[in-house]
Every structure is written in structure tokens, then in C-alpha cells.
Amino acid sequence: MKELSVVIPVMNEKDNVGPIMQRLAQALRSVDHEIIFVDDGSKDGTPKIIRELANKNIRLIQLSRNYGQSTAMAAGIDYAEGNYIALLDGDLQNDPEDITMMLRVLKEGDWDVVAGNRKHRQDNALIRKLPSRIANRLIRKMTGVYIEDYGCTLKVFKQEYAHGLGLYGELHRFIPVLASMQGARITQVNVQHHARIHGQSKYGLNRTFKVTSDLLLMVFFQKYLQKPMHLFGALGTLSFGGGILVNLYLLVLKLAGEPIWGKPLMILGVILLLSGIQFFTIGILAEMNMRTYFESQNKKPYRIRATFDGKDKKAADAYDEDNRKLSVDPVGLYED
């Protein structure tokens, strides 16, 4: 088994794959590694260049069409054999030299995930940096996972946490949140960032709207994935209760001899009642689906980090010492 697997999703990066292979070979010369390129439907001959330049440490996974960065990452992670897994963009904006530094931080600090922070980002301020700052602040506020730079692909994981991410859609932006949901201990380090030399960026302002949509999904996953009735039941109670109050008020008006038929308030009361019933129904169905998900696959709604026998004094003391070290700030500790 390799010590490190580097997963690199690429799409139309034929001018970058050669230089990135050279940079990685130099950066990882002292690490037993493999490099997994995942071609996400390139049209410019990128897979051909990879095959021509490949050596014994390089593997290519060629997807049948363009699925998106999250799916490409998931495919690479599924095929990775290393004890540690690094994610890297194929545009050479992140520096491969940072991988060994991040791997060292992960090992020495006993972290589960080390995320990169592009402190001096070399991108367009209006199109890339400003929307990214707004999105990062919003994600931190709503999820409680305090990572400075969610948009930086460069990350290093312990294998088990990378395999448990469950990437699909476009959730690669929320990898730290997905990892924290597994109980991962996360830190971040400053990494280098370079301007793109070859090819064109695949991102624009339109991704801001996608981030907002996915953020709502992440908040649901964090807070209500195992207890959806707490969300839909609360909404149903508010809606149904509001409908009851509105209709009681209309009943009083009717008994007082005032006409109520056709009033906008009557329509609102009916809508609130029906909405409340729908929220309750959705909550019940979601609860049933959640139970089916766990029970049909024998999945557990928890993850055990370690066990020890209290009779073993040395193991107990070591466990307590580890917890004292981690009690400072298990998520969000910034390191330079």
C-alpha cells in the first residue's frame, strides 16, 4: 500500500498535466506515492497526454462524460490506495510542494484533515476573490466549521475520512463540513497560490448561486439529517397553528354577521392549514426514509474513533492525555 495518493481531477488541461507531473515528481521524491488523474470529459486530448507522459506512479481514470468536479474527486478517492489522500487541482495554481508540508502537519499534529488556505490568492478580485470571501463567511457562519478558505482544493486526509465524504453533485466546496460531520479533527495551513498560466478557469459568478443552494443542503445535513421531523414538524406546527388562529378569527367574524367568503385572509388560513399538514407528512416520510437508509444497510448513525479497556491503565491514561490536547479547539485551529 502506498503512503500517499494524490487525486487530481482534470478537464481540458493538456498544457498543465506535463508540468504538474514534473512538479509532483520533485515534490514527492521522498514519499511512496501514486498520482491519480481523473479526466472529467476533456475534449482537448488531455487523456492522451497523460498516457504518453505517465510513469509507474501515475494512474488515469477516464470518465465517460463530464460529471463535474465533485464526482471526479469521488472517483479518484474510490480508486486511491494510499494511507493518506491529497486533493489537488490540475491547473497548477496550487503548489505541489505544499503537499509534503501538509502531510507532515497532519501526522505530527494527529489531525484527520489538513486544509489549504490561499493567503495571497492570485485571482481576479471582482470575479473570483470577492464572491469567494462572501461565500466563505456565509458558510462559516451557518455551519460552524471555521475554515478560512473553502474554495481551496488542496487538502490532505486520512484515508478513512476521505472515503467517507460522500461526494456528489457539487459538494466539493463543502468538504470540510462533510469531514466534520464524521467527527474529523480539522486544521488549516497557509499554502502558495499562483496565477493560471495555461487554459481557462471553469468558474464564474454563476457558481455563487450554486453555493447558496448547496449551503442550505449542508445545513440540513448537519442539523436535521438524522432527525428531519424536528425541522418539518416545527414548520408544520407553526403553519398549522397559524391557520387555526386565522380561521378562529374568521369564525368569530362570521358569528358576528360579517361576510368572510372570498376574503384574502380566508385564503391565507386555508393555505396555512394545508401547508402544515404537508410539512407533517414530509417529516414523517423523511423519518421513514432515514430509518430505511440506516437499517437496510446495517449502517450506524455514529462513528467510533477509538476504544479502550479501562482495566488497561496505560491505555486509559494515553486516551485521557489525547483528549486534553484536543479539548483546546478540535476544529478551526489555524496554523501558519
Side-chain angles (χ1 to χ4, degrees), residues 294-305:
F294 282 109
E295 294 174 9
S296 66
Q297 303 178 65
N298 292 320
K299 287 182 177 291
K300 302 296 183 184
Y302 55 83
R303 183 187 184 97
I304 296 175
R305 180 178 296 279

Side-chain angles (χ1 to χ4, degrees), residues 225-236:
L225 181 62
Q226 295 184 32
K227 46 186 179 182
M229 195 62 183
H230 286 199
L231 172 63
F232 295 109
L235 292 174

Side-chain angles (χ1 to χ4, degrees), residues 220-244:
F220 176 80
F221 276 0
Q222 271 194 309
K223 298 183 178 180
Y224 303 108
L225 181 62
Q226 295 184 32
K227 46 186 179 182
M229 195 62 183
H230 286 199
L231 172 63
F232 295 109
L235 292 174
T237 300
L238 288 173
S239 180
F240 194 82
I244 291 291

Side-chain angles (χ1 to χ4, degrees), residues 94 114-123 128-129 131-133 135-137 139-140 145-155 172-176 186-193 207 334:
N94 287 125
V114 177
N117 173 36
R118 298 165 294 182
K119 191 169 185 179
H120 303 291
R121 186 173 175 180
Q122 305 298 312
D123 278 323
R128 300 289 300 278
K129 293 169 74 171
S132 181
R133 286 182 180 178
N136 285 331
R137 182 170 297 181
I139 294 170
R140 288 194 298 269
V145 180
Y146 293 96
I147 295 298
E148 190 71 20
D149 187 359
Y150 274 86
C152 183
T153 299
L154 184 54
K155 297 176 181 70
H172 60 275
R173 304 180 185 94
F174 299 95
I175 283 177
I186 307 171
T187 190
Q188 65 178 359
V189 293
N190 293 330
V191 297
Q192 303 175 73
H193 192 250
R207 74 170 179 160
Y334 297 155

Side-chain angles (χ1 to χ4, degrees), residues 66-82:
N66 176 250
Y67 287 90
Q69 189 173 358
S70 293
T71 302
M73 285 181 179
I77 290 171
D78 287 343
Y79 277 84
E81 298 177 352

Side-chain angles (χ1 to χ4, degrees), residues 12 22 27 31 43 76 97 110 121 126 136 139 142 170 180-181 185 194 203 206 216 218 251 261 274 286 299:
N12 298 334
Q22 295 176 353
V31 180
K43 304 295 185 182
E97 288 284 348
D110 196 25
R121 186 173 175 180
L126 181 62
N136 285 331
I139 294 170
M142 294 187 68
E170 294 194 23
S180 73
M181 288 170 62
R185 295 170 290 192
H194 308 287
Y203 298 108
N206 64 324
L216 295 177
M218 282 293 96
L251 177 61
W261 184 254
L274 293 177
K299 287 182 177 291

